[in-house]
Amino acid sequence: MRYGSRQALSGLTLAVEAGGYVGVLGSNGSGKTTLFKILAGLINAHGGAAEVCGKPLGVETRRLTAYLPSQPSLPRRARLGGCIADYALFYPDFSPDAARALLKDLRLSEDLRVNQLS
């Protein structure tokens, strides 16, 4: 993966056995977050290959992974209804009806923007 002239993840080979755990350590800018974003299908690598559970990255592997960033990843000005629509396109098993029911239970409008939430 490249960010302008900066290269991240050069020469990385990683395999984790089923049920295994791995810690990923590295200096700032070494590619830790980039690795997890690639595996979650949020960004595309510029080279190499990646698989999750022996499957090439794609719609099916998005069902097998989750990514929780340390910083919010939704655009602060995005409206909740638009976020629901985007998630429905990106994650085939995402339920817009369940998301809307949750908003209703929390008395939140789809017109609210992300930056209006605590």
Side-chain angles (χ1 to χ4, degrees), residues 85-99:
D86 289 346
Y87 270 63
L89 289 172
F90 193 75
Y91 297 103
D93 57 349
F94 179 79
S95 171
D97 292 337

